[in-house]
Amino acid sequence: MIYLDAAATAEYKKIDDIIVDTITESMKKYWRNPSSLYSSDIKEEIDRCRKNIAAFIGANPEEIIFTSGASESNNFAIRGWVDQQLMKDIGMINIITTPIEHKSILESVNNPSLGACVRYCDVDRFGFVDYNHLEKLLWFREKEPTLVSIGMANNEIGTIQDIKIISKLVHEYGGIIHVDATQAFGHIPINVEELGIDMMSASGHKISPVLKGIGFLYKKNGINIQPLIRGSQENGFRGGTENTFGIIGLSKAIEYCDVSSDKIEQMCKKRDYFISLLQDKPGRLFNRFKFNCRLNGSQEHRLPNNINITFNQNITGESLLYTLDMSGIKISTGSACNSHSIVPSYVLKAIGLTDEESMRTVRFSLSNDITYDDINFAVNEIKKAIKIIET
Ligand code: PMP
């Protein structure tokens, strides 16, 4: 099998076994309830992991709140911040986000009982936030509490936002910024302080498939929010017996996350090689089969593992997905969370693709251990699949 859907859930053969072993061992050793008075060893272990994870993003340990994953963290950040504001005697509460965010953001802000006024900032054809529009929206609401929620890297088109510029703008107008970093965490360097982030969501299973059901919300000291799940754990910010094994697994996994420029360059080279084959770049012009594909999202500021392609041929992404599946190649037509939907991707529509173009679009997202041979094989199979579909 060639797995080209790492954005849905990561596959990282090199470390997956290590994480499984670490978790299995921890299940035998730390099975007791971490809150029991005799479980100080487990509390210490969780604190060690918290420190490790905090250090990985340049945060303080008490700023990390463990959750069940990024969907919960996103809901928590938005609902929790609005609830905090509602406790004060103030006027309008504002949320600014973009139309290309993950469903867990869009559905959180669409909640009719949220109690906030929601505005959407425009994005350009690459998926970049329109800074002028953002400034206009911030200026208009300058005197009122405003939360801006922006994804660090888009899960469909891979575009990486300049969070430093965005957070500076948000702070200039007195707002606070939440960043959904689910696709970026563990894949590109993140330092919350340098980037000026107030809250940030992340998830374990985008690093290793074993880590489903574990994630965290980074909440900068001084930012006040209400809990989403009330209880005594996580300093009263998130009730529920801690997922000890997930926390230990996540802490282990980040020890193996290589976000050095060398590693990123290697991944980008593989990604760009894959793209060049699909775009029939010079050197391949005499190949009789022409893909003639269009890359969506930014070429330059792009996740090292993301390729989002609109095919020129008369095929649908869905037919390509099923045909490639028969050759053992796993791809996606967009976000896994929307993969059962037959409506065109809202992300692609927001960056200007027509419904018809969206339907001809697929996402290839590369695993850390993909090889050039895998890419050559996959591209050949894509060619064959297109010929089958077209006949
Ligand atoms: N945000 C983004 C950008 C994502 O890609 C995902 C996962 N598809 C999520 C949030 C939700 O993450 P989780 O599966 O951990 O709830």
Side-chain angles (χ1 to χ4, degrees):
M1 174 176 94
I2 296 189
Y3 185 67
L4 299 176
D5 203 13
T9 264
E11 183 203 31
Y12 195 175
K13 291 190 193 104
K14 233 193 223 159
I15 66 162
D16 292 344
D17 285 348
I18 299 171
I19 316 283
V20 170
D21 289 347
T22 306
I23 289 180
T24 311
E25 238 171 74
S26 77
M27 283 176 158
K28 292 179 194 158
K29 197 170 168 190
Y30 298 126
W31 52 269
R32 286 160 283 127
N33 190 318
S35 296
S36 298
L37 286 179
Y38 45 77
S39 295
S40 57
D41 56 336
I42 308 182
K43 275 262 176 266
E44 274 167 28
E45 183 59 11
I46 291 177
D47 282 348
R48 185 192 63 77
C49 295
R50 199 187 302 277
K51 248 189 216 162
N52 200 21
I53 293 163
F56 187 65
I57 57 164
N60 298 306
E62 71 278 10
E63 296 174 319
I64 303 293
I65 305 166
F66 290 116
T67 64
S68 65
S71 295
E72 184 188 325
S73 303
N74 286 342
N75 276 267
F76 181 15
I78 288 166
R79 176 83 262 176
W81 180 80
V82 172
D83 281 351
Q84 181 70 32
Q85 303 308 312
L86 287 171
M87 287 163 58
K88 302 175 196 164
D89 188 20
I90 42 165
M92 189 76 88
I93 296 167
N94 302 286
I95 306 256
I96 299 173
T97 188
T98 81
I100 63 168
E101 300 306 321
H102 188 259
K103 278 280 182 189
S104 54
I105 294 287
L106 295 180
E107 293 301 318
S108 289
V109 302
N110 267 338
N111 175 0
S113 68
L114 184 64
C117 172
V118 181
R119 287 185 173 74
Y120 296 89
C121 178
D122 293 343
V123 292
D124 68 12
R125 68 193 172 95
F126 301 108
F128 289 119
V129 166
D130 177 337
Y131 300 143
N132 288 328
H133 190 217
L134 178 60
E135 185 159 16
K136 228 185 243 172
L137 293 174
L138 287 163
W139 172 81
F140 197 56
R141 297 286 168 195
E142 197 175 0
K143 300 275 180 294
E144 298 163 358
T146 301
L147 172 72
V148 178
S149 180
I150 307 269
M152 186 174 286
N154 187 269
N155 55 323
E156 286 193 37
I157 56 172
T159 297
I160 302 174
Q161 305 288 349
D162 194 328
I163 295 294
K164 211 170 174 171
I165 291 185
I166 294 171
S167 68
K168 192 165 173 273
L169 197 56
V170 172
H171 291 148
E172 269 170 23
Y173 285 87
I176 75 158
I177 178 156
H178 163 254
V179 174
D180 177 2
T182 312
Q183 291 290 338
F185 177 69
H187 296 277
I188 55 173
I190 297 175
N191 184 302
V192 284
E193 206 185 316
E194 277 172 20
L195 294 175
I197 296 173
D198 297 312
M199 291 195 276
M200 186 182 93
S201 304
S203 180
H205 74 107
K206 307 295 180 180
I207 303 179
S208 166
V210 190
L211 299 171
K212 290 185 184 66
I214 184 69
F216 65 86
L217 179 72
Y218 157 79
K219 182 183 73 65
K220 189 178 168 171
N221 285 331
I223 300 290
N224 294 321
I225 62 172
Q226 288 294 306
L228 184 67
I229 302 173
R230 287 172 191 269
S232 57
Q233 290 86 355
E234 297 295 284
N235 264 333
F237 279 112
R238 202 274 187 179
T241 303
E242 295 88 337
N243 176 359
T244 313
F245 318 126
I247 294 169
I248 292 173
L250 179 59
S251 172
K252 190 62 166 182
I254 59 161
E255 286 172 22
Y256 291 88
C257 283
D258 185 353
V259 288
S260 66
S261 36
D262 277 0
K263 175 69 206 259
I264 289 175
E265 199 182 313
Q266 266 176 36
M267 274 308 287
C268 288
K269 263 192 186 156
K270 286 181 189 168
R271 175 200 67 193
D272 293 344
Y273 173 69
F274 199 147
I275 295 172
S276 76
L277 295 180
L278 294 173
Q279 289 188 322
D280 316 299
K281 284 279 160 66
R284 294 170 231 290
L285 278 177
F286 300 107
N287 191 335
R288 284 201 345 264
F289 185 92
K290 289 273 176 291
F291 276 113
N292 230 348
C293 294
R294 192 175 87 195
L295 181 71
N296 298 308
S298 165
Q299 184 127 28
E300 207 185 329
H301 301 286
R302 182 178 202 93
L303 281 174
N305 66 356
N306 175 287
I307 300 170
N308 187 292
I309 287 286
T310 301
F311 282 92
N312 205 24
Q313 284 79 9
N314 189 20
I315 58 152
T316 64
E318 204 185 358
S319 58
L320 189 60
L321 184 152
Y322 288 120
T323 314
L324 285 175
D325 188 31
M326 289 191 286
S327 332
I329 296 176
K330 310 292 177 200
I331 65 161
S332 169
T333 49
S335 155
C337 315
N338 305 317
S339 61
H340 295 288
S341 141
I342 48 159
V343 295
S345 149
Y346 62 87
V347 173
L348 297 176
K349 286 183 81 167
I351 61 165
L353 271 72
T354 62
D355 287 0
E356 196 269 325
E357 286 167 332
S358 301
M359 299 309 264
R360 284 191 274 116
T361 300
V362 296
R363 177 185 72 185
F364 304 109
S365 47
L366 315 181
S367 298
N368 265 307
D369 18 41
I370 193 147
T371 64
Y372 283 97
D373 282 348
D374 292 337
I375 295 172
N376 289 332
F377 177 78
V379 171
N380 242 334
E381 291 301 312
I382 296 167
K383 250 183 228 173
K384 281 193 220 160
I386 291 175
K387 281 181 190 161
I388 291 169
I389 299 165
E390 281 190 321
T391 50

Short mmCIF file of all heavy atoms in Angstrom, two decimals, residues 171-199:
data_model
loop_
_atom_site.label_atom_id
_atom_site.label_comp_id
_atom_site.label_asym_id
_atom_site.label_seq_id
_atom_site.Cartn_x
_atom_site.Cartn_y
_atom_site.Cartn_z
N HIS A 171 -3.28 42.14 17.66
CA HIS A 171 -2.94 42.77 18.95
C HIS A 171 -2.98 44.30 18.86
O HIS A 171 -3.36 44.96 19.81
CB HIS A 171 -1.57 42.28 19.43
CG HIS A 171 -1.61 40.82 19.83
ND1 HIS A 171 -0.54 39.96 19.69
CD2 HIS A 171 -2.61 40.06 20.35
CE1 HIS A 171 -0.89 38.76 20.11
NE2 HIS A 171 -2.14 38.79 20.51
N GLU A 172 -2.57 44.83 17.70
CA GLU A 172 -2.62 46.30 17.53
C GLU A 172 -4.02 46.84 17.76
O GLU A 172 -4.21 47.96 18.21
CB GLU A 172 -2.17 46.68 16.11
CG GLU A 172 -0.68 46.94 16.03
CD GLU A 172 -0.21 47.08 14.59
OE1 GLU A 172 -1.04 47.41 13.70
OE2 GLU A 172 0.98 46.84 14.35
N TYR A 173 -5.02 46.03 17.39
CA TYR A 173 -6.42 46.46 17.54
C TYR A 173 -7.06 45.90 18.82
O TYR A 173 -8.28 45.92 18.97
CB TYR A 173 -7.23 46.08 16.30
CG TYR A 173 -6.92 46.98 15.13
CD1 TYR A 173 -5.86 46.70 14.27
CD2 TYR A 173 -7.64 48.15 14.93
CE1 TYR A 173 -5.54 47.54 13.23
CE2 TYR A 173 -7.33 49.01 13.88
CZ TYR A 173 -6.29 48.71 13.04
OH TYR A 173 -5.97 49.55 12.00
N GLY A 174 -6.24 45.36 19.71
CA GLY A 174 -6.73 44.93 21.02
C GLY A 174 -7.41 43.57 21.03
O GLY A 174 -8.04 43.19 22.02
N GLY A 175 -7.31 42.82 19.92
CA GLY A 175 -7.94 41.49 19.88
C GLY A 175 -7.02 40.40 20.41
O GLY A 175 -5.86 40.67 20.77
N ILE A 176 -7.54 39.18 20.47
CA ILE A 176 -6.66 38.06 20.80
C ILE A 176 -6.75 37.02 19.69
O ILE A 176 -7.75 36.96 18.96
CB ILE A 176 -6.92 37.47 22.21
CG1 ILE A 176 -8.18 36.63 22.23
CG2 ILE A 176 -6.97 38.51 23.29
CD1 ILE A 176 -8.11 35.64 23.40
N ILE A 177 -5.70 36.22 19.57
CA ILE A 177 -5.65 35.30 18.43
C ILE A 177 -5.55 33.83 18.85
O ILE A 177 -4.71 33.46 19.66
CB ILE A 177 -4.52 35.68 17.44
CG1 ILE A 177 -4.50 34.65 16.29
CG2 ILE A 177 -3.16 35.76 18.11
CD1 ILE A 177 -3.91 35.15 15.03
N HIS A 178 -6.47 33.05 18.26
CA HIS A 178 -6.42 31.59 18.41
C HIS A 178 -5.97 31.01 17.07
O HIS A 178 -6.45 31.43 16.01
CB HIS A 178 -7.81 31.03 18.77
CG HIS A 178 -7.91 29.56 18.54
ND1 HIS A 178 -8.59 29.00 17.49
CD2 HIS A 178 -7.36 28.52 19.23
CE1 HIS A 178 -8.49 27.67 17.54
NE2 HIS A 178 -7.74 27.36 18.59
N VAL A 179 -5.04 30.05 17.14
CA VAL A 179 -4.52 29.45 15.91
C VAL A 179 -4.78 27.94 15.93
O VAL A 179 -4.39 27.26 16.88
CB VAL A 179 -2.99 29.72 15.79
CG1 VAL A 179 -2.40 28.97 14.60
CG2 VAL A 179 -2.73 31.21 15.66
N ASP A 180 -5.45 27.46 14.90
CA ASP A 180 -5.61 26.01 14.75
C ASP A 180 -4.36 25.50 14.01
O ASP A 180 -4.22 25.69 12.80
CB ASP A 180 -6.89 25.72 13.94
CG ASP A 180 -7.07 24.22 13.68
OD1 ASP A 180 -6.24 23.41 14.16
OD2 ASP A 180 -8.06 23.86 13.00
N ALA A 181 -3.46 24.87 14.79
CA ALA A 181 -2.18 24.45 14.21
C ALA A 181 -2.14 22.94 13.95
O ALA A 181 -1.06 22.35 13.83
CB ALA A 181 -1.03 24.85 15.15
N THR A 182 -3.31 22.33 13.85
CA THR A 182 -3.39 20.87 13.75
C THR A 182 -2.52 20.28 12.64
O THR A 182 -1.84 19.28 12.84
CB THR A 182 -4.86 20.45 13.53
OG1 THR A 182 -5.66 21.14 14.49
CG2 THR A 182 -5.04 18.96 13.69
N GLN A 183 -2.54 20.90 11.47
CA GLN A 183 -1.77 20.32 10.35
C GLN A 183 -0.29 20.72 10.40
O GLN A 183 0.54 20.08 9.77
CB GLN A 183 -2.37 20.77 9.00
CG GLN A 183 -3.74 20.18 8.71
CD GLN A 183 -3.69 18.68 8.41
OE1 GLN A 183 -2.65 18.12 8.03
NE2 GLN A 183 -4.82 18.01 8.60
N ALA A 184 0.00 21.74 11.17
CA ALA A 184 1.38 22.25 11.19
C ALA A 184 2.20 21.64 12.33
O ALA A 184 3.41 21.42 12.19
CB ALA A 184 1.35 23.77 11.34
N PHE A 185 1.53 21.35 13.45
CA PHE A 185 2.22 20.88 14.65
C PHE A 185 2.99 19.57 14.36
O PHE A 185 2.43 18.59 13.88
CB PHE A 185 1.18 20.63 15.76
CG PHE A 185 1.75 20.07 17.03
CD1 PHE A 185 2.57 20.82 17.85
CD2 PHE A 185 1.46 18.76 17.41
CE1 PHE A 185 3.09 20.30 19.02
CE2 PHE A 185 1.98 18.23 18.58
CZ PHE A 185 2.79 19.00 19.39
N GLY A 186 4.29 19.60 14.63
CA GLY A 186 5.13 18.42 14.39
C GLY A 186 5.68 18.36 12.98
O GLY A 186 6.48 17.49 12.65
N HIS A 187 5.24 19.29 12.11
CA HIS A 187 5.69 19.27 10.71
C HIS A 187 6.52 20.49 10.35
O HIS A 187 7.37 20.42 9.46
CB HIS A 187 4.48 19.15 9.78
CG HIS A 187 3.74 17.86 9.96
ND1 HIS A 187 4.13 16.68 9.34
CD2 HIS A 187 2.68 17.53 10.73
CE1 HIS A 187 3.32 15.70 9.70
NE2 HIS A 187 2.43 16.19 10.55
N ILE A 188 6.23 21.60 11.02
CA ILE A 188 7.06 22.81 10.82
C ILE A 188 7.33 23.40 12.22
O ILE A 188 6.57 23.14 13.15
CB ILE A 188 6.38 23.87 9.89
CG1 ILE A 188 4.99 24.26 10.42
CG2 ILE A 188 6.28 23.38 8.46
CD1 ILE A 188 4.34 25.42 9.65
N PRO A 189 8.41 24.17 12.36
CA PRO A 189 8.71 24.71 13.70
C PRO A 189 7.63 25.69 14.16
O PRO A 189 7.13 26.47 13.35
CB PRO A 189 10.04 25.45 13.51
CG PRO A 189 10.52 25.11 12.15
CD PRO A 189 9.37 24.61 11.35
N ILE A 190 7.26 25.60 15.43
CA ILE A 190 6.27 26.53 16.00
C ILE A 190 6.81 27.04 17.32
O ILE A 190 7.16 26.23 18.19
CB ILE A 190 4.91 25.83 16.27
CG1 ILE A 190 4.27 25.32 14.96
CG2 ILE A 190 3.94 26.78 16.99
CD1 ILE A 190 3.00 24.52 15.15
N ASN A 191 6.90 28.35 17.47
CA ASN A 191 7.23 28.93 18.76
C ASN A 191 6.13 29.96 19.07
O ASN A 191 6.04 31.00 18.42
CB ASN A 191 8.60 29.60 18.74
CG ASN A 191 8.99 30.11 20.12
OD1 ASN A 191 8.27 30.92 20.71
ND2 ASN A 191 10.11 29.65 20.63
N VAL A 192 5.27 29.60 20.04
CA VAL A 192 4.08 30.42 20.29
C VAL A 192 4.43 31.85 20.68
O VAL A 192 3.71 32.79 20.33
CB VAL A 192 3.16 29.77 21.36
CG1 VAL A 192 2.39 28.61 20.77
CG2 VAL A 192 3.92 29.37 22.60
N GLU A 193 5.55 32.00 21.39
CA GLU A 193 5.91 33.35 21.84
C GLU A 193 6.37 34.19 20.65
O GLU A 193 5.91 35.32 20.45
CB GLU A 193 7.00 33.25 22.91
CG GLU A 193 6.96 34.45 23.83
CD GLU A 193 8.08 34.44 24.81
OE1 GLU A 193 8.37 33.36 25.37
OE2 GLU A 193 8.68 35.51 25.00
N GLU A 194 7.26 33.60 19.84
CA GLU A 194 7.76 34.34 18.67
C GLU A 194 6.64 34.69 17.70
O GLU A 194 6.65 35.72 17.05
CB GLU A 194 8.79 33.50 17.92
CG GLU A 194 10.18 33.60 18.52
CD GLU A 194 11.14 32.61 17.89
OE1 GLU A 194 10.88 32.12 16.77
OE2 GLU A 194 12.16 32.30 18.56
N LEU A 195 5.66 33.78 17.60
CA LEU A 195 4.57 34.01 16.65
C LEU A 195 3.45 34.88 17.23
O LEU A 195 2.53 35.26 16.52
CB LEU A 195 3.99 32.67 16.17
CG LEU A 195 4.94 31.79 15.35
CD1 LEU A 195 4.30 30.44 15.05
CD2 LEU A 195 5.33 32.46 14.03
N GLY A 196 3.52 35.16 18.52
CA GLY A 196 2.52 36.02 19.16
C GLY A 196 1.16 35.36 19.30
O GLY A 196 0.12 36.01 19.19
N ILE A 197 1.17 34.05 19.56
CA ILE A 197 -0.10 33.30 19.63
C ILE A 197 -0.66 33.34 21.05
O ILE A 197 0.07 33.11 22.02
CB ILE A 197 0.13 31.83 19.17
CG1 ILE A 197 0.55 31.81 17.70
CG2 ILE A 197 -1.11 30.98 19.40
CD1 ILE A 197 0.96 30.44 17.18
N ASP A 198 -1.97 33.56 21.19
CA ASP A 198 -2.62 33.56 22.51
C ASP A 198 -3.18 32.18 22.85
O ASP A 198 -3.14 31.77 24.00
CB ASP A 198 -3.75 34.60 22.56
CG ASP A 198 -3.21 36.01 22.36
OD1 ASP A 198 -2.22 36.35 23.03
OD2 ASP A 198 -3.75 36.75 21.52
N MET A 199 -3.76 31.52 21.87
CA MET A 199 -4.27 30.16 22.08
C MET A 199 -3.97 29.34 20.82
O MET A 199 -3.99 29.89 19.71
CB MET A 199 -5.79 30.16 22.32
CG MET A 199 -6.21 30.77 23.64
SD MET A 199 -7.93 30.34 24.02
CE MET A 199 -8.80 31.59 23.09
#
